Amino acid sequence: MNSNVSANLSAEDTVKEFFGGGAGAATTSDSDALSVSLANLWQTIHENRWGIILFMIAGCLAGVFKAVSETPVYQARLTMAVEPSSSRGGQSNVFDPFAYRFYETQYELLKSRSVAERVVDQLQLVERESVQSLLLSPSIFRSLTREFTRLTGISLVDEPKVPQTKIDLTAKEKEQKRRWLTGIIQSGVSVSGGEKTNLVQVSFRSINPDFAAEIANELVSAYIDLGLDSQLSRSQQTTQWLSQRIDGLKVSLDQAQSNLQRFLVEENLLDSSRSAQITTSELQTLNAEYNGARAKLDELAKRYGARHPKITEARAEMLAAKQRLDSKSRSISSSREKQVELARLERDVQVNQELYEAFLAKFKEADISASGSQVASARIVDRALPPSGPIYPQKNRIIVMWTLGGLMFGIMLAFLRQQLDSTFKTGRMLEEKLGLPLFGILQSLGKDTKAVERHYLDNKRSVFSESINHIRTGITYSNVDNPPHVMVVTSSVQSEGKTTLASNLALSYAQQGKTLLIDADLRRPRIKHIIETDTPYGLVDYVAGMVELSDCIRQDKDEKNLFILNSGTTPPNPLELLASDRFRQILQDLRGRFEHIIIDTAPVLPASDAVVLGRLSDALLMVVQSDKTTFHMARDAVKRLNASRVPVAGLILTQANIKKAHSSYYGGYYGYGAYAYVEDSAAKES
């Protein structure tokens, strides 16, 4: 390979600095990165703006349909004051730290099944046939027709008349309907209370405003009745239980008193205290008689012998006194046992008497409490009135939310599409992904192939032509000391715009000197279809030795410094022909004849022609088509070239849609071309 191919480091840095830097450029600051991110964000939205707008409109229409088709829900609200129960003699002003439990209990009672069942029964909802239409939502069609009638005043469908008669149901059907209505009422009730007041807000939601107010008012009435009934029931239960207990205690007391009386009569203990005093006195007398007889016997024993008649008489008196004392002692012992039994019976009477009196006092206290206490004080402050408007749906909010949802969904899809799209959109992206310098960006000029591939000749001051000049400058500055003379133009796959670049670049180089454009794409040649020549011979015929060089090369009809060497006859072995020594010698000879040689060759991935020509050239230019060439394709092509030690001098992004992109998308790259064009037009006018 020619030594001119080796790039000079300082020159490469100069090119990168000139074009905004590549893989080796300095890292941008945080503010610059943020600016780039915001610019990319706006560009993604700008590119997909019509799709995003379409999703936003679809979301708006869906929101309108949902808002119109939704059944209106009305909420009737009632205000009531609830205070804890207090007795007449109680302290109502004492602070209770657990008072919140009372209010929480009342809230749950208002939403309880018992209150809902009372409402159903008191309003006779089971028998009302019209309750079905008051609770069940209408169909979407009827909702739409009602909304249309409300907006236009034109009635499309007559509203069905709701019958007011009662219906006959079986007991099972009534019970089922009662349960269903109870559940509906429970689900529609909401209760809330203030933090600093005793006021409670009771609300009920329904699709009918009059029915909502009716249920809310009846709900509170049922709650108050339930409280009164519960208080009365508790009082009755307490009174009944105490009465039963008092009756039982009265029977027990009467029985205990009867047992005591019978025992006193049977044991002759009616005056037990007097009998006890007499018994004690007699016992003391008998004991004194015994002690006196014994003392007399002892006195006589000192004077007389044992058989003396006085001794015998005194002993007999002592024994008699002893016998009377023992007899009285036994009698007193029996009396003690009766006293114990008597004490037990008296205790039974006393205990039963105390229990009876205690329960009697409780009974009287409960009776007084029932007559003097108050249930939880609940009074209606403001009755519920039929609401003037529904609380749901909030049509404006639904439409706005659905519209924003469609907008966000469209933006999300746009970003998802961008993330899944691995093609190249900008030159900056191309540089960052492949790590190679970008020589320029070519805009898309439409589908007129001939006009595109010869555009530089007719519009030298257009944006496209100025881009070609930028590419030419970038190639020149890629090696300042030894600018490349032989340049190969290739791509990853076909139809990426390499022939367009080669043709216009050759026209640009022709402005500086004698230039040769070689069509070396021997498989699918394009230049011979663009530039008409008067000879059928070309590169293949000359390399094969069938003709002379003068028979193959033709001067361009419109540009005198441009010469064309077409591919010529289609060869059976293009790669062998390009890799031959004959072709190498011919190319070396052409170096001396022309100042610049542009070679258009086959893509890298389908064929290896670019690898062979790249080793013989001074610079290899790789074309990447915007929005078509994927990162994997370009990366594989670069890898194949690097594996063969053929470096890519630079990249060119082709067919970029400038009208679709924002000016900052390409970093203002096309600003100079637009300026030059305007300046040229002004000069012509002057």
Side-chain angles (χ1 to χ4, degrees), residues 150 311 328 376 385 412 435 550 553 578 589 592 630 642 664:
R150 187 185 68 83
I311 294 297
K328 195 63 178 178
L385 298 176
M412 182 185 69
S550 58
I553 295 180
L578 296 175
D589 178 63
T630 65
N642 290 336
S664 63

Side-chain angles (χ1 to χ4, degrees), residues 346-389:
E346 289 177 345
R347 283 195 304 272
D348 289 344
V349 172
Q350 182 181 1
V351 170
N352 284 280
Q353 181 69 31
E354 291 176 352
L355 287 174
Y356 175 75
E357 292 176 354
F359 271 81
L360 187 60
K362 287 290 184 181
F363 178 79
K364 294 179 180 180
E365 182 181 349
D367 186 45
I368 294 174
S369 176
S371 61
S373 63
Q374 298 178 352
V375 297
S377 176
R379 56 187 177 87
I380 298 176
V381 177
D382 293 323
R383 295 185 63 84
L385 298 176
S388 58

Side-chain angles (χ1 to χ4, degrees), residues 88-156:
R88 291 179 177 177
Q91 297 179 356
S92 58
N93 295 327
V94 177
F95 172 73
D96 183 6
F98 301 103
Y100 71 93
R101 295 182 179 177
F102 166 78
Y103 290 102
E104 293 293 337
T105 302
Q106 306 312 308
Y107 300 160
E108 296 300 323
L109 285 175
L110 283 165
K111 296 185 291 185
S112 65
R113 181 172 56 86
S114 300
V115 173
E117 288 177 348
R118 281 176 173 265
V119 173
V120 173
D121 296 338
Q122 291 176 4
L123 295 179
Q124 297 181 351
L125 297 181
V126 176
E127 291 79 12
R128 287 167 60 177
E129 186 175 0
S130 61
V131 75
Q132 300 286 110
S133 61
L134 297 176
L135 295 177
L136 297 179
S137 301
S139 62
I140 297 178
F141 173 75
R142 186 161 298 280
S143 298
L144 294 175
T145 55
R146 286 179 179 177
E147 185 67 18
F148 179 80
T149 303
R150 187 185 68 83
L151 295 175
T152 62
I154 301 174
S155 180
L156 299 178

Side-chain angles (χ1 to χ4, degrees), residues 518-539:
I518 301 176
D519 187 359
D521 189 352
L522 306 182
R523 292 172 175 80
R524 299 181 63 180
R526 286 289 305 154
I527 293 179
K528 69 179 181 180
H529 300 292
I530 299 168
I531 305 174
E532 297 180 359
T533 59
D534 57 357
T535 177
Y537 304 113
L539 176 63

Side-chain angles (χ1 to χ4, degrees), residues 400-540:
V400 170
M401 294 301 295
W402 278 76
T403 303
L404 292 178
L407 175 64
M408 297 306 297
F409 185 73
I411 294 175
M412 182 185 69
L413 286 183
F415 278 99
L416 181 62
R417 177 186 174 189
Q418 182 189 36
Q419 294 299 321
L420 296 178
D421 187 4
S422 60
T423 59
F424 298 98
K425 308 293 183 184
T426 66
R428 183 184 297 108
M429 182 187 302
L430 187 61
E431 284 184 308
E432 292 176 352
K433 292 288 186 179
L434 298 182
L436 296 171
L438 177 70
F439 283 165
I441 301 172
L442 297 180
Q443 71 177 108
S444 177
L445 295 179
K447 298 182 179 180
D448 190 352
T449 304
K450 184 175 181 181
V452 171
E453 293 174 340
R454 301 280 289 178
H455 183 82
Y456 185 89
L457 187 64
D458 300 325
N459 302 276
K460 293 183 179 180
R461 290 297 182 183
S462 66
V463 174
F464 182 89
S465 299
E466 289 298 334
S467 301
I468 294 293
N469 291 334
H470 277 301
I471 296 171
R472 184 189 66 192
T473 304
I475 297 172
T476 302
Y477 278 96
S478 64
N479 193 336
V480 180
D481 296 331
N482 296 300
H485 296 285
V486 179
M487 291 152 281
V488 174
V489 180
T490 186
S491 61
S492 302
V493 293
Q494 63 271 16
S495 302
E496 291 192 63
K498 62 180 181 60
T499 302
T500 300
L501 174 64
S503 176
N504 285 279
L505 190 61
L507 289 170
S508 177
Y509 270 107
Q511 307 302 313
Q512 296 181 344
K514 193 174 181 182
T515 303
L516 175 64
L517 175 62
I518 301 176
D519 187 359
D521 189 352
L522 306 182
R523 292 172 175 80
R524 299 181 63 180
R526 286 289 305 154
I527 293 179
K528 69 179 181 180
H529 300 292
I530 299 168
I531 305 174
E532 297 180 359
T533 59
D534 57 357
T535 177
Y537 304 113
L539 176 63
V540 175

